[in-house]
Amino acid sequence: MRQADRVSDEYIARIEDAAKFLAERLDSTPKILVIAGSGLGGFVRSVTVEKTISYSDVPHFGASTVAGHAGVLVQGAVNNTPVFVMNGRRHLYEGISPQQSTLLLRALLAAFPVQVVIISNAAGGLNPKFQVGDLMLISDHINWMFTNPLIGKNAQEWGPRFPDASELYSQELRQKAKRVGLEVGVLLREGVYLGGLGPSYETRAEVHMLRAIHGADAVGMSTVPETLVANHMGRRVLGISFISNLLTVPAVTTHEEVMENAGLVEEKFTKLLTALIPHLT
Ligand code: HPA
């Protein structure tokens, strides 16, 4: 394992650097952080923006290299509630470690008293009942990346060496989301998210296995490292997948399709979050 693939004194110092940089530039009022995934950056248009920081300016982080990922950190308000929004994220398939991919999240959580992290992503549907454009609350995840952002030295001030993972996605937050979903007329599915490394989409044989053996409802290439980090640091997570394509039908999957279909959910994703965010703290 390379030095960069584990938490080390050097990595901890980088987080401290980045946290200091953020603390000097942003306010500490937001209790909610939203990570807007593939194509869901449209949500950011509904945010009253107060400050922005480009990922490429954050010490030690680096810009996202993927089309559809903006790479901007926003401080602002949604429905008069202060929020941070990470518009875009870094993925393991870019060739970076899970520690590197979660550097900005770690630094934000180290610098600010954020209580709730809303993590969104695009995912392929494995559950035959799902349709393209569905939103799925993540009830649990399967780490099919076979790596973990907590590997290496444990910084005790961040969290415990062996964090519990029996409720990574807060049941209480899911209940609130379901209630608000009903109120505003946004249908919410619920299911297990399986996070793989990518960047290849799944083979037919993998789809069969993931569904049959693992019982996963959706599969994507993100979220798992971020949830593990947020949980390590004692924060509650609400995970939302948008079903961008169906793996249950014999069709070809393309990134273009995934991005295009994001257009189908931007409106309801925004509607849900706008109504939900004031209820979360
Ligand atoms: N597989 C993995 N990740 C994805 C998919 C998929 O089908 N769709 C969007 N992200």
mmCIF file of all heavy atoms in Angstrom, residues 159-187:
data_model
loop_
_atom_site.group_PDB
_atom_site.id
_atom_site.type_symbol
_atom_site.label_atom_id
_atom_site.label_comp_id
_atom_site.label_asym_id
_atom_site.label_seq_id
_atom_site.Cartn_x
_atom_site.Cartn_y
_atom_site.Cartn_z
ATOM 1 N N GLY A 159 -12.304 10.669 15.316
ATOM 2 C CA GLY A 159 -13.273 9.624 15.632
ATOM 3 C C GLY A 159 -12.584 8.362 16.080
ATOM 4 O O GLY A 159 -11.358 8.315 16.148
ATOM 5 N N PRO A 160 -13.379 7.321 16.379
ATOM 6 C CA PRO A 160 -12.811 6.089 16.936
ATOM 7 C C PRO A 160 -12.091 5.219 15.895
ATOM 8 O O PRO A 160 -12.354 5.335 14.701
ATOM 9 C CB PRO A 160 -14.039 5.355 17.470
ATOM 10 C CG PRO A 160 -15.177 5.858 16.652
ATOM 11 C CD PRO A 160 -14.847 7.281 16.278
ATOM 12 N N ARG A 161 -11.197 4.379 16.378
ATOM 13 C CA ARG A 161 -10.472 3.441 15.503
ATOM 14 C C ARG A 161 -11.425 2.493 14.775
ATOM 15 O O ARG A 161 -11.288 2.216 13.586
ATOM 16 C CB ARG A 161 -9.469 2.639 16.354
ATOM 17 C CG ARG A 161 -8.782 1.477 15.680
ATOM 18 C CD ARG A 161 -7.702 1.841 14.680
ATOM 19 N NE ARG A 161 -8.127 2.464 13.454
ATOM 20 C CZ ARG A 161 -7.327 2.756 12.428
ATOM 21 N NH1 ARG A 161 -6.049 2.494 12.488
ATOM 22 N NH2 ARG A 161 -7.795 3.329 11.352
ATOM 23 N N PHE A 162 -12.424 1.986 15.510
ATOM 24 C CA PHE A 162 -13.348 1.000 14.937
ATOM 25 C C PHE A 162 -14.782 1.527 15.005
ATOM 26 O O PHE A 162 -15.544 1.157 15.911
ATOM 27 C CB PHE A 162 -13.246 -0.334 15.694
ATOM 28 C CG PHE A 162 -11.867 -0.936 15.662
ATOM 29 C CD1 PHE A 162 -11.066 -0.937 16.802
ATOM 30 C CD2 PHE A 162 -11.359 -1.506 14.502
ATOM 31 C CE1 PHE A 162 -9.796 -1.493 16.780
ATOM 32 C CE2 PHE A 162 -10.082 -2.069 14.467
ATOM 33 C CZ PHE A 162 -9.288 -2.062 15.605
ATOM 34 N N PRO A 163 -15.168 2.381 14.077
ATOM 35 C CA PRO A 163 -16.499 2.989 14.169
ATOM 36 C C PRO A 163 -17.615 1.972 13.890
ATOM 37 O O PRO A 163 -17.471 1.126 13.011
ATOM 38 C CB PRO A 163 -16.492 4.062 13.080
ATOM 39 C CG PRO A 163 -15.116 4.094 12.527
ATOM 40 C CD PRO A 163 -14.423 2.829 12.902
ATOM 41 N N ASP A 164 -18.666 2.102 14.620
ATOM 42 C CA ASP A 164 -19.859 1.295 14.360
ATOM 43 C C ASP A 164 -20.396 1.654 12.973
ATOM 44 O O ASP A 164 -20.271 2.788 12.524
ATOM 45 C CB ASP A 164 -20.927 1.606 15.424
ATOM 46 C CG ASP A 164 -22.216 0.853 15.163
ATOM 47 O OD1 ASP A 164 -22.171 -0.383 15.166
ATOM 48 O OD2 ASP A 164 -23.253 1.506 14.935
ATOM 49 N N ALA A 165 -20.969 0.663 12.292
ATOM 50 C CA ALA A 165 -21.531 0.958 10.964
ATOM 51 C C ALA A 165 -22.921 0.343 10.825
ATOM 52 O O ALA A 165 -23.358 0.005 9.726
ATOM 53 C CB ALA A 165 -20.601 0.431 9.878
ATOM 54 N N SER A 166 -23.612 0.207 11.960
ATOM 55 C CA SER A 166 -24.909 -0.469 11.897
ATOM 56 C C SER A 166 -26.034 0.462 11.445
ATOM 57 O O SER A 166 -27.108 0.006 11.076
ATOM 58 C CB SER A 166 -25.246 -1.078 13.262
ATOM 59 O OG SER A 166 -25.297 -0.057 14.236
ATOM 60 N N GLU A 167 -25.774 1.789 11.487
ATOM 61 C CA GLU A 167 -26.796 2.724 10.972
ATOM 62 C C GLU A 167 -26.082 3.891 10.292
ATOM 63 O O GLU A 167 -26.136 5.032 10.755
ATOM 64 C CB GLU A 167 -27.706 3.214 12.109
ATOM 65 C CG GLU A 167 -28.974 3.883 11.591
ATOM 66 C CD GLU A 167 -29.826 4.530 12.681
ATOM 67 O OE1 GLU A 167 -29.871 4.011 13.803
ATOM 68 O OE2 GLU A 167 -30.435 5.572 12.376
ATOM 69 N N LEU A 168 -25.434 3.585 9.188
ATOM 70 C CA LEU A 168 -24.662 4.619 8.499
ATOM 71 C C LEU A 168 -25.564 5.716 7.946
ATOM 72 O O LEU A 168 -25.160 6.865 7.833
ATOM 73 C CB LEU A 168 -23.869 4.006 7.342
ATOM 74 C CG LEU A 168 -22.667 3.136 7.726
ATOM 75 C CD1 LEU A 168 -22.028 2.556 6.471
ATOM 76 C CD2 LEU A 168 -21.643 3.938 8.513
ATOM 77 N N TYR A 169 -26.777 5.324 7.576
ATOM 78 C CA TYR A 169 -27.729 6.285 6.996
ATOM 79 C C TYR A 169 -28.872 6.451 7.989
ATOM 80 O O TYR A 169 -29.680 5.525 8.175
ATOM 81 C CB TYR A 169 -28.218 5.776 5.625
ATOM 82 C CG TYR A 169 -27.052 5.618 4.664
ATOM 83 C CD1 TYR A 169 -26.312 4.442 4.628
ATOM 84 C CD2 TYR A 169 -26.655 6.668 3.847
ATOM 85 C CE1 TYR A 169 -25.206 4.305 3.794
ATOM 86 C CE2 TYR A 169 -25.557 6.544 3.006
ATOM 87 C CZ TYR A 169 -24.837 5.369 2.977
ATOM 88 O OH TYR A 169 -23.749 5.246 2.154
ATOM 89 N N SER A 170 -28.898 7.603 8.636
ATOM 90 C CA SER A 170 -29.788 7.849 9.772
ATOM 91 C C SER A 170 -31.250 7.526 9.463
ATOM 92 O O SER A 170 -31.849 8.072 8.535
ATOM 93 C CB SER A 170 -29.665 9.323 10.172
ATOM 94 O OG SER A 170 -30.792 9.729 10.898
ATOM 95 N N GLN A 171 -31.780 6.640 10.284
ATOM 96 C CA GLN A 171 -33.185 6.264 10.162
ATOM 97 C C GLN A 171 -34.090 7.476 10.369
ATOM 98 O O GLN A 171 -35.069 7.678 9.647
ATOM 99 C CB GLN A 171 -33.474 5.217 11.238
ATOM 100 C CG GLN A 171 -34.885 4.739 11.282
ATOM 101 C CD GLN A 171 -34.943 3.225 11.152
ATOM 102 O OE1 GLN A 171 -33.979 2.541 11.476
ATOM 103 N NE2 GLN A 171 -36.040 2.722 10.665
ATOM 104 N N GLU A 172 -33.734 8.306 11.353
ATOM 105 C CA GLU A 172 -34.550 9.479 11.666
ATOM 106 C C GLU A 172 -34.593 10.444 10.472
ATOM 107 O O GLU A 172 -35.641 10.975 10.118
ATOM 108 C CB GLU A 172 -33.965 10.174 12.891
ATOM 109 C CG GLU A 172 -34.859 11.251 13.457
ATOM 110 C CD GLU A 172 -34.112 12.179 14.404
ATOM 111 O OE1 GLU A 172 -33.081 11.769 14.977
ATOM 112 O OE2 GLU A 172 -34.564 13.337 14.526
ATOM 113 N N LEU A 173 -33.451 10.654 9.834
ATOM 114 C CA LEU A 173 -33.417 11.558 8.672
ATOM 115 C C LEU A 173 -34.229 10.981 7.512
ATOM 116 O O LEU A 173 -34.912 11.704 6.792
ATOM 117 C CB LEU A 173 -31.975 11.814 8.224
ATOM 118 C CG LEU A 173 -31.079 12.582 9.199
ATOM 119 C CD1 LEU A 173 -29.701 12.798 8.596
ATOM 120 C CD2 LEU A 173 -31.707 13.918 9.588
ATOM 121 N N ARG A 174 -34.158 9.668 7.352
ATOM 122 C CA ARG A 174 -34.958 9.037 6.281
ATOM 123 C C ARG A 174 -36.449 9.223 6.546
ATOM 124 O O ARG A 174 -37.224 9.480 5.623
ATOM 125 C CB ARG A 174 -34.637 7.541 6.192
ATOM 126 C CG ARG A 174 -33.518 7.243 5.213
ATOM 127 C CD ARG A 174 -33.287 5.755 5.121
ATOM 128 N NE ARG A 174 -32.509 5.291 6.246
ATOM 129 C CZ ARG A 174 -32.656 4.106 6.848
ATOM 130 N NH1 ARG A 174 -33.602 3.261 6.438
ATOM 131 N NH2 ARG A 174 -31.884 3.758 7.843
ATOM 132 N N GLN A 175 -36.845 9.091 7.812
ATOM 133 C CA GLN A 175 -38.269 9.281 8.153
ATOM 134 C C GLN A 175 -38.707 10.704 7.818
ATOM 135 O O GLN A 175 -39.769 10.921 7.259
ATOM 136 C CB GLN A 175 -38.517 9.016 9.650
ATOM 137 C CG GLN A 175 -38.316 7.574 10.081
ATOM 138 C CD GLN A 175 -39.157 6.587 9.273
ATOM 139 O OE1 GLN A 175 -40.154 6.960 8.653
ATOM 140 N NE2 GLN A 175 -38.736 5.336 9.241
ATOM 141 N N LYS A 176 -37.845 11.667 8.180
ATOM 142 C CA LYS A 176 -38.173 13.075 7.868
ATOM 143 C C LYS A 176 -38.287 13.265 6.359
ATOM 144 O O LYS A 176 -39.193 13.938 5.869
ATOM 145 C CB LYS A 176 -37.074 13.998 8.418
ATOM 146 C CG LYS A 176 -37.179 14.221 9.901
ATOM 147 C CD LYS A 176 -36.204 15.300 10.359
ATOM 148 C CE LYS A 176 -36.286 15.455 11.866
ATOM 149 N NZ LYS A 176 -35.283 16.338 12.428
ATOM 150 N N ALA A 177 -37.359 12.677 5.619
ATOM 151 C CA ALA A 177 -37.377 12.824 4.160
ATOM 152 C C ALA A 177 -38.645 12.224 3.572
ATOM 153 O O ALA A 177 -39.265 12.803 2.668
ATOM 154 C CB ALA A 177 -36.137 12.155 3.554
ATOM 155 N N LYS A 178 -39.060 11.085 4.110
ATOM 156 C CA LYS A 178 -40.277 10.438 3.590
ATOM 157 C C LYS A 178 -41.502 11.305 3.851
ATOM 158 O O LYS A 178 -42.377 11.439 2.995
ATOM 159 C CB LYS A 178 -40.468 9.077 4.281
ATOM 160 C CG LYS A 178 -39.572 7.999 3.716
ATOM 161 C CD LYS A 178 -39.898 6.688 4.414
ATOM 162 C CE LYS A 178 -38.649 5.856 4.522
ATOM 163 N NZ LYS A 178 -38.812 4.703 5.407
ATOM 164 N N ARG A 179 -41.524 11.891 5.060
ATOM 165 C CA ARG A 179 -42.665 12.746 5.416
ATOM 166 C C ARG A 179 -42.725 13.963 4.485
ATOM 167 O O ARG A 179 -43.767 14.280 3.928
ATOM 168 C CB ARG A 179 -42.536 13.179 6.877
ATOM 169 C CG ARG A 179 -43.848 13.461 7.526
ATOM 170 C CD ARG A 179 -43.748 13.578 9.033
ATOM 171 N NE ARG A 179 -42.796 14.590 9.442
ATOM 172 C CZ ARG A 179 -41.811 14.371 10.309
ATOM 173 N NH1 ARG A 179 -41.657 13.188 10.853
ATOM 174 N NH2 ARG A 179 -40.985 15.324 10.631
ATOM 175 N N VAL A 180 -41.579 14.600 4.287
ATOM 176 C CA VAL A 180 -41.546 15.778 3.423
ATOM 177 C C VAL A 180 -41.830 15.373 1.971
ATOM 178 O O VAL A 180 -42.532 16.076 1.244
ATOM 179 C CB VAL A 180 -40.181 16.501 3.551
ATOM 180 C CG1 VAL A 180 -40.020 17.556 2.473
ATOM 181 C CG2 VAL A 180 -40.060 17.125 4.929
ATOM 182 N N GLY A 181 -41.314 14.217 1.550
ATOM 183 C CA GLY A 181 -41.589 13.713 0.196
ATOM 184 C C GLY A 181 -43.088 13.601 -0.051
ATOM 185 O O GLY A 181 -43.593 14.006 -1.104
ATOM 186 N N LEU A 182 -43.801 13.060 0.928
ATOM 187 C CA LEU A 182 -45.257 12.930 0.801
ATOM 188 C C LEU A 182 -45.916 14.303 0.714
ATOM 189 O O LEU A 182 -46.817 14.524 -0.094
ATOM 190 C CB LEU A 182 -45.830 12.187 2.018
ATOM 191 C CG LEU A 182 -45.773 10.665 1.991
ATOM 192 C CD1 LEU A 182 -46.256 10.088 3.314
ATOM 193 C CD2 LEU A 182 -46.593 10.113 0.829
ATOM 194 N N GLU A 183 -45.450 15.220 1.564
ATOM 195 C CA GLU A 183 -46.031 16.571 1.593
ATOM 196 C C GLU A 183 -45.884 17.296 0.264
ATOM 197 O O GLU A 183 -46.789 17.988 -0.190
ATOM 198 C CB GLU A 183 -45.343 17.410 2.682
ATOM 199 C CG GLU A 183 -45.942 17.239 4.073
ATOM 200 C CD GLU A 183 -45.022 17.797 5.163
ATOM 201 O OE1 GLU A 183 -44.238 18.731 4.861
ATOM 202 O OE2 GLU A 183 -45.083 17.281 6.283
ATOM 203 N N VAL A 184 -44.725 17.160 -0.360
ATOM 204 C CA VAL A 184 -44.486 17.926 -1.596
ATOM 205 C C VAL A 184 -44.726 17.090 -2.854
ATOM 206 O O VAL A 184 -44.506 17.552 -3.972
ATOM 207 C CB VAL A 184 -43.074 18.566 -1.626
ATOM 208 C CG1 VAL A 184 -42.900 19.575 -0.500
ATOM 209 C CG2 VAL A 184 -41.965 17.518 -1.596
ATOM 210 N N GLY A 185 -45.163 15.838 -2.669
ATOM 211 C CA GLY A 185 -45.501 14.994 -3.809
ATOM 212 C C GLY A 185 -44.297 14.481 -4.590
ATOM 213 O O GLY A 185 -44.338 14.388 -5.822
ATOM 214 N N VAL A 186 -43.226 14.156 -3.882
ATOM 215 C CA VAL A 186 -42.063 13.540 -4.546
ATOM 216 C C VAL A 186 -41.957 12.089 -4.067
ATOM 217 O O VAL A 186 -41.742 11.829 -2.883
ATOM 218 C CB VAL A 186 -40.758 14.315 -4.227
ATOM 219 C CG1 VAL A 186 -39.540 13.563 -4.745
ATOM 220 C CG2 VAL A 186 -40.812 15.720 -4.825
ATOM 221 N N LEU A 187 -42.134 11.171 -5.000
ATOM 222 C CA LEU A 187 -42.073 9.747 -4.664
ATOM 223 C C LEU A 187 -40.645 9.350 -4.310
ATOM 224 O O LEU A 187 -39.710 9.654 -5.057
ATOM 225 C CB LEU A 187 -42.554 8.914 -5.858
ATOM 226 C CG LEU A 187 -42.386 7.398 -5.718
ATOM 227 C CD1 LEU A 187 -43.419 6.817 -4.754
ATOM 228 C CD2 LEU A 187 -42.448 6.710 -7.065
#
